[in-house]
Amino acid sequence: MTIELDEISNEDTAIESKFDLLIVLQQAPYSSASANEALDLALAAGTFEQKVALLFIEDGVYQLMSEQAPDALQQKSLEKMINALSFYGVSMLAVESHSLFERDLHPEKHIIQGVHFELLNTKSIQDLYDRSKTIIRF
Amino acid sequence: MDSLPERDPQGFLVNLNDWTPSVASDIANTEAITLTDAHWEVIKLLRHFYQEYELSPAMRILVKLCKEKLGDEKGNSIYLLQLFPGSPAKLASKIAGLPKPTNCL
């Protein structure tokens, strides 16, 4: 019975498309150039019409927090870069739901609005990995 | 020309806040371009894009932006090459007071 339920829920969230490139963002923003580099890569790959997916996981989910104000750090706003992704043709943005839960972040309260994120469980993430030709972690 | 604010060796403004429409005209003059309404249309689009995303669009994205906002007739590289000869994304960004496009591959 449990197995059946799992199969159903997995089917519901299954990701249909295949991706040329999956970028996994797993580090907190602004402490290093990592997030910035990952998003640069996403924008460049999107520019050249590659099918790109982004997965925010672990401390990488902090990159999605709204009202980022990095002016004092003299860094570019990651929030603005994330908002630009869809114009650059990057439309698949996924977040591991458990990482949000662990950090007490709520999609409606703390996360950038106006951008669509897929909330994925561990199984769906495995599915996303399986459907991606190349995976790069930052 | 003496009044032009500080620029980097490639002619991009060092301090983006120095930009004014008259600075744009002066930068354009150094590139042998006289700005027309058609130029301004693109310059305004670029400045708006930068305000929203803090990105200088490379060529493909600039074409897409023009196509979306100005229509198919203007959303192509030939049109942009006529306005900003050589390297439209680079030249238009320079005149619009944006940083050099990073993904200029």
Side-chain angles (χ1 to χ4, degrees):
Chain A
M1 194 59 194
T2 320
I3 294 164
E4 267 179 46
L5 277 175
D6 278 348
E7 276 171 0
I8 290 164
S9 77
N10 193 33
E11 236 169 62
D12 280 344
T13 51
I15 299 142
E16 296 299 328
S17 357
K18 290 190 187 316
F19 297 97
D20 298 312
L21 174 62
L22 170 64
I23 301 173
V24 181
L25 302 95
Q26 55 191 16
Q27 292 184 45
Y30 302 113
S31 50
S32 74
S34 165
N36 197 53
E37 283 168 359
L39 292 171
D40 259 342
L41 173 63
L43 294 170
T47 301
F48 288 91
E49 281 150 34
Q50 298 292 296
K51 217 158 182 301
V52 186
L54 263 57
L55 171 62
F56 296 86
I57 195 168
E58 295 165 21
D59 279 348
V61 298
Y62 286 122
Q63 297 173 27
L64 303 177
M65 292 192 70
S66 52
E67 294 174 37
Q68 296 176 23
D71 305 19
L73 302 169
Q74 295 187 320
Q75 289 194 39
K76 280 210 296 195
S77 163
L78 297 174
E79 183 175 0
K80 288 189 170 177
M81 285 176 97
I82 289 166
N83 281 325
L85 286 167
S86 83
F87 194 82
Y88 281 69
V90 181
S91 49
M92 172 57 179
L93 305 181
V95 190
E96 194 208 26
S97 40
H98 186 65
S99 301
L100 286 177
F101 177 75
E102 276 181 331
R103 288 159 185 80
D104 207 16
L105 295 174
H106 299 273
E108 298 84 25
K109 245 198 277 177
H110 302 116
I111 301 302
I112 300 171
Q113 301 299 306
V115 176
H116 177 73
F117 299 104
E118 300 281 345
L119 291 177
L120 300 186
N121 59 27
T122 312
K123 245 184 189 170
S124 309
I125 286 171
Q126 190 54 54
D127 191 38
L128 180 60
Y129 285 150
D130 291 344
R131 286 167 184 276
S132 304
K133 223 189 284 174
T134 304
I135 300 172
I136 303 181
R137 291 177 179 277
F138 283 87
Chain B
M1 261 343 109
D2 297 337
S3 60
L4 259 181
E6 191 188 352
R7 299 197 295 159
D8 73 9
Q10 293 194 68
F12 288 82
L13 288 179
V14 171
N15 182 355
L16 303 185
N17 294 326
D18 286 340
W19 189 90
T20 64
S22 98
V23 167
S25 301
D26 288 348
I27 295 176
N29 286 337
T30 68
E31 303 283 347
I33 294 172
T34 307
L35 296 180
T36 64
D37 288 349
H39 292 97
W40 282 112
E41 207 172 40
V42 177
I43 291 168
K44 279 178 192 158
L45 267 191
L46 275 174
R47 290 193 60 81
H48 188 255
F49 187 87
Y50 189 78
Q51 264 170 16
E52 199 166 344
Y53 299 130
E54 288 183 13
L55 294 166
S56 297
M59 190 56 188
R60 276 164 174 258
I61 298 299
L62 177 60
V63 168
K64 189 178 169 188
L65 182 68
C66 290
K67 193 177 237 167
E68 209 162 89
K69 305 281 181 187
L70 305 176
D72 286 347
E73 273 169 42
K74 297 176 177 178
N76 61 72
S77 33
I78 303 213
Y79 177 77
L80 291 167
L81 275 161
Q82 284 166 349
L83 294 177
F84 304 98
S87 177
K90 202 174 148 191
L91 201 47
S93 295
K94 191 187 290 185
I95 296 170
L98 271 50
K100 186 172 179 272
T102 41
N103 295 325
C104 244
L105 303 176

